[in-house]
Amino acid sequence: MIKINNKVLDVSQIQPVIQSAKSLEILHLLAGYPNVYEYASLGELEFEIQLRLRVIEAAISLENSHAEFSTLEESLSNKQYWHLSKNGTFTLLPRVPPHVAIVDIFLNGRLYAFECGTAIVVTFLKAILDLIGPRDFDYLFKDLFLYDWHPPKNMALLVHKGRDYLPGDNLYFKNPDHDEDTPEWQGENAILLGQNQFYGHGIGITNSQGIIDELNGNRKPNASISAFLTQHIISLDSSYYRPFQTNIPRVTPVHSPSSLSNLIVSEIGQTLYLS
């Protein structure tokens, strides 16, 4: 259920169209879950949807960058922008703007290798950058580092357990019978792209069964417990980044939906209707 300023938002009258299918998928999921998602305005809701769309686009771009999967100890980076320690920590070099170093991962992915936790952090960072712009991004992440699933300062996350999965969420597939000699196969962090499509670094873009099959193919001998999708959900906290939206160029990405502000809003009693 979606509430805007304490009024229930009814989205049942919105008809999907090609250019807005992804945002409508998110909107209908938010409205259909029993959880209550509260926003002070339609603008706040739209900002969250736009942030989720940037996460999806960043995940697809990272897959297309050809950055490799590796263990922490075997990580690789572009030495022009990052200092890479033996334990796999990426530290920004002096005088390198954070946004430049993040964009380089997507432009020169063949120079990089990292595990799936770092891939999710990189994906989230690129989504934030694409939405708030380089100036505020550099301000927020001036002390940027990358290490596994350790979010840098000012990466605001929401963490909860449930099955209210939304496109743009990071979900976790657990592999309880993984081989102890290959701990990197103990599970997979994956971005939900929508319509049962996921991006998992090192596995690629596939459905949930595809990720489970890949994990099941990397278990200890005589394993009996299948990998499975957990209820652990992590997403970016859109409310943390919305104050920076005044600096956003109002340009809609090529595959992004039309703005919610283009829809007609009507109010009857305690219900808002979008059409």
Side-chain angles (χ1 to χ4, degrees):
M1 177 189 297
I2 303 171
K3 283 191 173 182
I4 305 294
N5 196 20
N6 293 321
K7 297 181 184 295
V8 175
L9 183 67
D10 187 316
V11 300
S12 61
Q13 302 304 312
I14 305 177
Q15 299 299 315
V17 291
I18 292 174
Q19 69 267 28
S20 60
K22 186 61 64 178
S23 66
L24 290 182
E25 180 185 354
I26 297 171
L27 196 60
H28 282 291
L29 285 170
L30 284 167
Y33 285 131
N35 311 51
V36 177
Y37 302 91
E38 298 192 54
Y39 304 90
S41 66
L42 194 62
E44 284 191 5
L45 171 60
E46 181 176 6
F47 187 84
E48 172 158 348
I49 291 174
Q50 291 297 327
L51 183 56
R52 289 180 175 277
L53 292 171
R54 291 339 189 267
V55 171
I56 293 165
E57 291 181 343
I60 295 171
S61 294
L62 188 57
E63 166 66 9
N64 293 334
S65 75
H66 302 291
E68 294 287 338
F69 174 86
S70 74
T71 61
L72 288 169
E73 295 76 17
E74 297 175 333
S75 296
L76 297 173
S77 71
N78 186 346
K79 297 179 181 179
Q80 184 177 351
Y81 301 112
W82 302 94
H83 169 74
L84 180 60
S85 67
K86 292 182 179 179
N87 71 349
T89 300
F90 292 61
T91 305
L92 200 63
L93 291 179
R95 293 181 293 281
V96 173
H99 80 275
V100 172
I102 290 299
V103 168
D104 185 67
I105 297 174
F106 292 82
L107 294 179
N108 296 299
R110 297 181 190 277
L111 300 178
Y112 291 86
F114 37 75
E115 39 57 70
C116 65
T118 299
I120 300 301
V121 172
V122 167
T123 299
F124 279 170
L125 287 169
K126 182 63 160 55
I128 297 166
L129 169 60
D130 288 345
L131 195 54
I132 71 173
R135 185 183 68 177
D136 286 329
F137 182 88
D138 289 351
Y139 168 75
L140 289 173
F141 298 103
K142 56 182 175 293
D143 299 320
L144 183 62
F145 74 95
L146 304 172
Y147 177 70
D148 197 7
W149 226 137
H150 292 264
K153 181 180 178 182
N154 288 323
M155 175 171 281
L157 301 173
L158 298 174
V159 181
H160 74 283
K161 289 188 176 181
R163 296 197 179 278
D164 52 330
Y165 308 130
L166 294 168
D169 282 341
N170 172 65
L171 307 181
Y172 186 67
F173 291 80
K174 185 176 178 61
N175 190 15
D177 266 358
H178 74 280
D179 192 327
E180 293 183 0
D181 291 334
T182 55
E184 62 270 22
W185 288 106
Q186 63 187 293
E188 180 76 4
N189 288 285
I191 296 292
L192 175 59
L193 306 178
Q195 297 294 326
N196 191 30
Q197 290 291 298
F198 295 83
Y199 163 68
H201 184 57
I203 293 178
I205 295 175
T206 183
N207 57 27
S208 58
Q209 192 58 51
I211 293 180
I212 290 171
D213 290 344
E214 189 73 22
L215 293 173
N216 283 346
N218 289 274
R219 293 183 294 173
K220 62 187 179 184
N222 303 314
S224 59
I225 304 175
S226 173
F228 61 94
L229 175 59
T230 71
Q231 297 184 41
H232 191 64
I233 302 172
I234 301 177
S235 61
L236 286 171
D237 183 355
S238 62
S239 66
Y240 186 86
Y241 300 104
R242 190 166 186 261
F244 299 96
Q245 71 173 325
T246 54
N247 298 317
I248 304 170
R250 301 301 293 177
V251 176
T252 304
V254 174
H255 301 296
S256 288
S258 55
S259 169
L260 294 183
S261 60
N262 294 331
L263 300 173
I264 298 172
V265 183
S266 56
E267 180 177 348
I268 303 176
Q270 291 299 307
T271 303
L272 299 174
Y273 296 87
L274 286 182
S275 59

